[in-house]
Amino acid sequence: MLLARGALKRLGPDTAEVKRMYTVPELRGRGLGRQILNGLIERGRALGLRRLVLETGELQAEAIRLYESAGFRRIPNYGYYVGMAGSLCYELPLALIPVDPDP
């Protein structure tokens, strides 16, 4: 039985798109989507990707909150989504930022 899902689709040597994020309605709000998304982010890092991108619909409030809380930021629509009404695109840079030991 499918509870939740998500995938990465490579778009280039250093970029992948988060695809097919879904949680069955009766299990939403339990953190499954966040677990899937966190796993995809870690997988992207393990693959040496520099960024993840994704598209969602402007009416998908829960998805938007999830992506923004994970650090994704709005970008201009890309590829297939350019000019598509109701489409919102996001990106998450995966490059690790060095921490200054003496702030």
Side-chain angles (χ1 to χ4, degrees):
M1 176 176 162
L2 171 72
L3 302 178
R5 69 170 180 231
L8 293 178
K9 177 183 177 183
R10 194 178 284 266
L11 298 181
D14 64 353
T15 302
E17 183 177 18
V18 174
K19 300 290 287 182
R20 311 300 293 167
M21 287 288 297
Y22 178 78
T23 302
V24 295
E26 58 270 17
L27 295 177
R28 291 180 185 162
R30 297 184 186 189
L32 293 174
R34 182 164 304 282
Q35 289 178 39
I36 297 288
L37 184 59
N38 287 343
L40 293 173
I41 291 168
E42 289 308 311
R43 180 67 178 147
R45 286 190 175 119
L47 291 170
L49 299 172
R50 297 193 62 169
R51 72 182 190 134
L52 297 179
V53 296
L54 62 85
E55 182 276 339
T56 192
E58 65 184 5
L59 300 179
Q60 302 300 318
E62 294 88 1
I64 291 167
R65 279 193 298 276
L66 172 64
Y67 300 139
E68 289 180 351
S69 71
F72 283 82
R73 297 294 171 247
R74 284 285 310 276
I75 58 171
N77 285 15
Y78 60 89
Y80 174 81
Y81 309 109
V82 172
M84 185 178 290
S87 177
L88 303 176
C89 292
Y90 287 82
E91 116 180 303
L92 177 70
L94 296 180
L96 296 177
I97 300 170
V99 175
D100 184 353
D102 299 313

